[in-house]
Amino acid sequence: MPADYNGTWVMIENKNFEGLMKSLDIDFATRKIAIHLTQTKEIKQEGDKFYTKTLSTFRNYLVDYTIGEEFEEITKGLDNRTVKTLVQWDGDKLVCVQKGEKANRGWKHWIEGDKLHLVRNLAQNDWNRLSHLSSARNAFDEISFN
């Protein structure tokens, strides 16, 4: 049985996010705002169907997907590119591959204890383009996806 990602996750650490944004050609002003934001991620998981909200005071981003089904995604909350996205299980990890203008783009999510980890990357073996976000589960929140 895959991991339970349900919950509200509040960011506690965000490493090298600016490096990732530079690699995505995000403008200077937006980068400077974004690196100071605390994100909250709400995830509702129904089997292999995921409903996600990434919330901040600057921008919100919603994306829903089903494991193993490729879909077209507009990365409105980040760099406004259109990509073909495919998310799959790798054990208890969620692994995403995005095909588009920027090569080798994607992310991995996994849970360790009460922390949700997200590693975002653009190019394999290029640590300047890797961003690691850790979030703690807030067990007291109910999620509404109406």
Side-chain angles (χ1 to χ4, degrees), residues 47-58:
D48 281 345
K49 181 73 176 167
F50 283 75
Y51 306 89
T52 64
K53 295 179 185 179
T54 302
L55 310 169
S56 75
T57 54
F58 184 60

Side-chain angles (χ1 to χ4, degrees), residues 9 66 72 80:
W9 304 86
T66 302
E72 185 172 280
N80 295 313

Side-chain angles (χ1 to χ4, degrees), residues 22-119:
K22 281 182 183 179
S23 298
L24 290 170
D25 304 319
I26 294 173
D27 67 90
F28 177 81
T30 302
R31 288 196 321 265
K32 293 306 169 193
I33 292 168
I35 61 172
H36 294 290
L37 297 175
T38 298
Q39 299 174 5
T40 299
K41 183 170 282 210
E42 296 179 353
I43 301 175
K44 181 179 178 185
Q45 175 184 355
E46 296 175 349
D48 281 345
K49 181 73 176 167
F50 283 75
Y51 306 89
T52 64
K53 295 179 185 179
T54 302
L55 310 169
S56 75
T57 54
F58 184 60
R59 288 189 180 145
N60 296 328
Y61 185 67
L62 294 93
V63 64
D64 302 337
Y65 57 87
T66 302
I67 301 298
E69 293 182 12
E70 187 176 68
F71 65 98
E72 185 172 280
E73 178 181 6
I74 300 173
T75 59
K76 183 179 177 195
L78 192 56
D79 62 337
N80 295 313
R81 288 191 168 91
T82 300
V83 294
K84 291 286 187 183
T85 299
L86 177 64
V87 183
Q88 299 187 57
W89 288 114
D90 180 7
D92 282 349
K93 292 181 181 179
L94 293 173
V95 178
C96 171
V97 174
Q98 296 173 318
K99 298 175 189 169
E101 183 180 331
K102 295 284 186 175
N104 298 314
R105 180 177 177 153
W107 51 260
K108 286 184 184 180
H109 258 314
W110 72 95
I111 298 171
E112 287 179 355
D114 66 346
K115 292 183 182 171
L116 173 70
H117 296 275
L118 168 65
V119 174

